[in-house]
Amino acid sequence: LDTITEQESPAEVVLFQVELANVLNRKSDYTEAEKLYLAVLGGEMDPELEVEVRTRLGEMYVHQSRYGEAQGLFKKALVMAEGLHGPEHLTVAAVCEKFAGLLRMQARFEPEAASEAQTEDLFSRSISIRKRLLGENHLDTAEVYFGLARFYLHLKRLEEARELFTMVAKIKRNLLGDAHPDVIQVEYNIAILEMEAGNYGKAESLFDTAISNWCRTLGDDHVFVATAWQTKSRLLARTGRLGEAAAALRTCLAIREKRFEPTHLRLLDAKKELAAVEARIKEEADGAASAGKVKVGEADRKRSFTRKSASKSHATKPAATAKQPTGTKADSSKGIKVTAKQ
């Protein structure tokens, strides 16, 4: 903002602020981005630009788990977009996609506030507009298919999700290349699908690839990396590797504690999962210690029983009768020996 001169028009200043806010948003600097978005919404601006700002700010609020605030922004943006362009415009499709994405997230964290039917309708409406105006193999169309696939994944409609993920991955690889973060995100979601399908080995390999590629392209402390660590921890916990699961969750928390406020739902969710894993670790350790004590007690009882049995056997065993010399016999009535006649 310091580079703006007095020669800039008010509209150019607003546009510059929006572009700067978008950059900060992409870098996950949500506090500063929000200040700029709210500043421009508080003044005079082009209605088309206002739709964009409301949509971007709403999307940012979704990342911050501020779903109620995001919903208000998307509703207003959708009404404005329809008023400006009619019901079948690409701007309408974009708002529908982001609105559906919000409802998909609410279905996970605030299910009582989300509607499955409304979510699927918004995704379908966006797909219909983009297919007609852009074609099925366009990147924007693929993005909406991707959102719908993630929604199906949440609903455990795995085969429908797999079909859409496979299609989206092909389109994005052709248009963006294998190393693009958007392609990595598709692979990450396929890893979740494989985990839900019980293919744990394949899922773990895909998680590791996604984490490695995101760290390389976005940085070790990006929110996507944190989410991948949390999801991988669930796989590790399912397969009994609780120590590794706890370590993965601590990595996730280290990132989120830098990025989010203490009350952020995703941060609290990771803390809750870590507490549950640590409780399982303690429970298993206590169980193993208890089992060890039982085994030691059983061994002591067995040794004690063996000693008692041996002692009892020794005490009740009859004394051996002395062997009689040849040529003698015993007179039991008198207790003396007499010599037998030859």
Side-chain angles (χ1 to χ4, degrees):
L1 291 177
D2 293 337
T3 62
I4 296 177
T5 69
E6 295 182 356
Q7 295 178 346
E8 305 288 349
S9 68
E12 289 173 323
V13 173
V14 169
L15 187 59
F16 183 85
Q17 288 177 305
V18 171
E19 290 301 321
L20 179 56
N22 292 342
V23 171
L24 293 169
N25 187 0
R26 287 193 292 270
K27 291 184 175 181
S28 301
D29 190 348
Y30 298 138
T31 300
E32 294 303 316
E34 182 180 15
K35 290 178 182 177
L36 288 170
Y37 283 138
L38 293 177
V40 298
L41 285 174
E44 295 293 328
M45 63 188 307
D46 176 72
E48 183 69 39
L49 184 60
E50 183 177 348
V51 171
E52 178 191 339
V53 171
R54 288 184 178 278
T55 303
R56 289 186 182 275
L57 180 57
E59 188 177 16
M60 191 182 82
Y61 282 164
V62 172
H63 288 304
Q64 295 177 286
S65 300
R66 297 162 63 177
Y67 301 133
E69 295 168 89
Q71 190 162 142
L73 288 164
F74 288 136
K75 286 181 178 178
K76 178 67 173 178
L78 185 55
V79 170
M80 290 184 65
E82 290 173 332
L84 288 168
H85 305 292
E88 296 294 316
H89 193 270
L90 288 175
T91 301
V92 174
V95 178
C96 285
E97 177 200 354
K98 301 304 180 183
F99 198 170
L102 157 68
L103 296 178
R104 181 182 63 81
M105 293 301 297
Q106 277 190 304
R108 289 180 56 192
F109 296 103
E110 297 177 356
E112 70 285 351
S115 166
E116 291 182 6
Q118 184 185 13
T119 306
E120 193 163 10
D121 285 346
L122 285 167
F123 275 128
S124 297
R125 183 180 178 188
S126 182
I127 289 171
S128 175
I129 295 171
R130 287 181 172 173
K131 280 177 65 177
R132 183 172 59 82
L133 298 177
L134 301 175
E136 189 165 73
N137 292 322
H138 192 279
L139 191 59
D140 289 347
T141 308
E143 193 63 28
V144 194
Y145 275 124
F146 178 56
L148 182 58
R150 295 169 78 186
F151 182 58
Y152 285 158
L153 178 58
H154 168 71
L155 297 178
K156 301 295 189 291
R157 293 161 63 173
L158 299 185
E159 290 310 310
E160 292 171 274
R162 186 188 298 278
E163 181 180 351
L164 290 178
F165 281 139
T166 301
M167 179 180 68
V168 171
K170 182 179 179 181
I171 295 171
K172 290 196 172 188
R173 283 195 185 98
N174 289 339
L175 297 174
L176 301 173
D178 292 342
H180 194 279
D182 285 359
V183 176
I184 299 168
Q185 190 176 30
V186 179
E187 293 172 345
Y188 162 75
N189 278 271
I190 293 174
I192 299 175
L193 187 149
E194 297 296 352
M195 178 177 70
E196 294 300 328
N199 303 322
Y200 296 138
K202 186 174 183 179
E204 184 172 4
S205 177
L206 288 169
F207 279 134
D208 289 341
T209 300
I211 290 171
S212 175
N213 288 338
W214 266 336
C215 286
R216 178 172 48 81
T217 58
L218 300 176
D220 294 348
D221 61 347
H222 194 276
V223 291
F224 285 2
V225 176
T227 299
W229 278 116
Q230 181 180 20
T231 312
K232 183 183 176 181
S233 76
R234 295 168 185 160
L235 169 65
L236 295 169
R238 287 188 189 185
T239 54
R241 294 152 64 184
L242 297 180
E244 293 176 73
L249 283 167
R250 292 189 190 102
T251 302
C252 167
L253 281 169
I255 298 170
R256 287 184 176 167
E257 285 170 348
K258 290 192 298 183
R259 294 288 188 176
F260 297 143
E261 296 295 325
T263 57
H264 193 285
L265 288 180
R266 284 182 176 269
L267 177 60
L268 297 177
D269 184 54
K271 286 184 175 181
K272 182 179 178 181
E273 288 192 20
L274 177 59
V277 170
E278 289 177 336
R280 284 182 60 188
I281 292 173
K282 184 178 185 302
E283 182 181 351
E284 290 191 3
D286 290 345
S290 177
K293 289 179 181 179
V294 169
K295 288 182 179 179
V296 170
E298 289 177 351
D300 288 343
R301 285 194 294 274
K302 286 181 180 179
R303 286 194 293 269
S304 176
F305 177 78
T306 301
R307 288 195 296 269
K308 288 180 180 179
S309 297
S311 175
K312 183 176 180 181
S313 175
H314 179 73
T316 58
K317 184 178 180 179
T321 303
K323 186 178 180 179
Q324 303 297 328
T326 302
T328 66
K329 64 180 179 181
D331 187 338
S332 59
S333 62
K334 295 181 179 180
I336 61 173
K337 294 179 182 179
V338 295
T339 304
K341 291 184 180 180
Q342 302 292 327

